[in-house]
Amino acid sequence: MWFDESRLDDERALAGIDPLLRSLAEAGSRVRREAQAALDLAPEKVHEARSRPRPRAVVVAGTGSRLLRDVLEGSCPVPFVAWPGPGLPGWVGSLDLVVMLAPAGSDVPAAAAVAEAVRRGADVLVACPPASLVAEHAVGRDVLVLPVGTGDPLAVAVVVLDLLASAGLGRAADADDVAAALDDVAVRCSPHRDIAANPAKEVALGLADAQPVLWGGSALAARAARRVAEELRRVTGRSVLADDAEEVLPVVEAARPRDVFADPFTDGGAVARPTLVVLDDGDEAAVVREQAGRLRAAAAAHDVRVVEIGSDARSDVARHASLILQGRYVAAYLGLGLVPD
């Protein structure tokens, strides 16, 4: 494979991935649609959910459970558990709140977990399509079904966060802020903007012949780095690392010296060198600044390229969503530019 950067601004080439680019551009719209669906929920049911006694613990299962943990763990006034595996913890009972995120609604383990939560008498909040397998099992006196329809895990997580915040169980994600941040990314990373004015195309160009190594300092930036790494691996088939600073640093320090005389067209081409991708959500914690400084210093000492994906959105969830969407645009343009020999 080699990278043809001209394809990033070629209208015919871009037309070949138009469905993917449209899906990325509609991310903000999906958040708004899910938020509106939550507002349209019967007011008496929402009031009932908000007026229930504070649970002993909150257990979040299904897609996006770890994202909710990263957002709420420090602000939830009761113990908070993310449970991405099957079933439920053995101690869950009538004093607890079980939250299930099932954007597709067809997940058999999710349906079984919801049925188990109902059987144990727990309060249950289920985010799923209203006519789905999971919804069929979410029947009971203490069950609230939050109807969703986009199938977008991030959009579903945002509306669930806002509902939990309204019940005094954490801070809100603010769907309007998240949608605005995603719209901003869609404008800046639009296929109609050329490489010189498009941050996603610029980062894709920086990763054209590289082994990407991703790092995010805060908990949400680190989670975004892992999601972006998954996209890059899927698109390129290359090994892509996303990890803590202590794991990324040795990879940067082990980078082989750049051979300025290497001929990429002979001997199987030059060996891909690491490029450090820093996902910056503006976290100013001392430990984040220290780790970022060490990584950048090591990159400079070993002639490792550094590219940055950043966000200055208003809320932490909006910045997290912005980083992920930018990374997906980068992956889309990287895949577009890579062509077989």
Side-chain angles (χ1 to χ4, degrees):
M1 303 288 288
W2 64 286
F3 192 80
D4 182 0
E5 65 179 88
S6 68
R7 289 173 56 84
L8 302 190
D9 291 331
D10 184 284
E11 291 185 4
R12 287 181 296 179
L14 288 165
I17 61 169
D18 184 67
L20 170 59
L21 295 174
R22 285 182 182 273
S23 176
L24 297 177
E26 292 170 356
S29 174
R30 289 193 292 273
V31 171
R32 290 189 180 89
R33 293 205 301 274
E34 297 293 18
Q36 186 59 52
L39 288 175
D40 292 341
L41 189 65
E44 63 274 11
K45 289 189 177 180
V46 176
H47 176 74
E48 178 188 348
R50 294 174 177 174
S51 62
R52 288 175 181 172
R54 178 174 290 179
R56 175 181 62 178
V58 177
V59 179
V60 180
T63 304
S65 60
R66 290 193 177 100
L67 169 59
L68 266 65
R69 179 193 62 194
D70 288 342
V71 176
L72 296 180
E73 202 165 34
S75 60
C76 186
V78 300
F80 186 96
V81 177
W83 194 264
L88 294 172
W91 49 263
V92 170
S94 59
L95 299 177
D96 305 306
L97 170 63
V98 174
V99 181
M100 173 60 72
L101 283 73
S106 57
D107 188 349
V108 174
V114 168
E116 178 64 15
V118 173
R119 187 188 68 79
R120 297 189 195 182
D123 282 348
V124 181
L125 169 61
V126 182
C128 66
S132 65
L133 176 66
V134 174
E136 291 175 4
H137 289 76
V139 178
R141 184 186 62 184
D142 299 320
V143 177
L144 174 62
V145 176
L146 184 64
V148 299
T150 65
D152 186 331
L154 178 61
V156 172
V158 167
V159 296
V160 169
L161 282 167
D162 282 346
L163 185 59
L164 291 174
S166 70
L169 293 173
R171 64 182 188 275
D174 197 326
D176 289 338
D177 279 354
V178 175
L182 294 173
D183 288 345
D184 177 66
V185 172
V187 171
R188 292 189 294 112
C189 300
S190 166
H192 304 298
R193 302 185 71 168
D194 62 27
I195 294 177
N198 190 316
K201 290 182 179 180
E202 184 179 359
V203 173
L205 187 59
L207 299 179
D209 59 351
Q211 176 193 359
V213 180
L214 288 77
W215 174 80
S218 71
L220 287 176
R223 181 161 299 284
R226 289 191 284 274
R227 299 291 80 78
V228 174
E230 291 170 0
E231 287 289 314
L232 294 175
R233 282 194 293 267
R234 182 183 61 80
V235 167
T236 67
R238 300 173 184 168
S239 59
V240 181
L241 173 67
D243 214 322
D244 299 332
E246 298 304 324
E247 303 299 327
V248 169
L249 190 60
V251 177
V252 174
E253 293 175 335
R256 301 170 67 177
R258 190 185 304 275
D259 184 358
V260 296
F261 299 106
D263 186 347
F265 300 102
T266 62
D267 302 326
V271 175
R273 302 183 76 252
T275 288
L276 177 62
V277 183
V278 175
L279 280 78
D280 182 7
D281 64 354
D283 191 306
E284 291 296 325
V287 64
V288 173
R289 294 199 306 271
E290 187 273 335
Q291 291 176 345
R294 279 197 294 146
L295 287 170
R296 291 182 183 276
H302 293 84
D303 194 23
V304 170
R305 181 190 296 126
V306 179
V307 298
E308 184 172 306
I309 299 175
S311 174
D312 58 359
R314 292 174 56 184
S315 69
D316 53 0
V317 178
R319 290 189 291 272
H320 170 78
S322 173
L323 294 178
I324 290 179
L325 186 59
Q326 289 180 70
R328 287 176 173 163
Y329 269 106
V330 169
Y333 292 133
L334 186 58
L336 178 66
L338 288 172
V339 294
D341 288 330

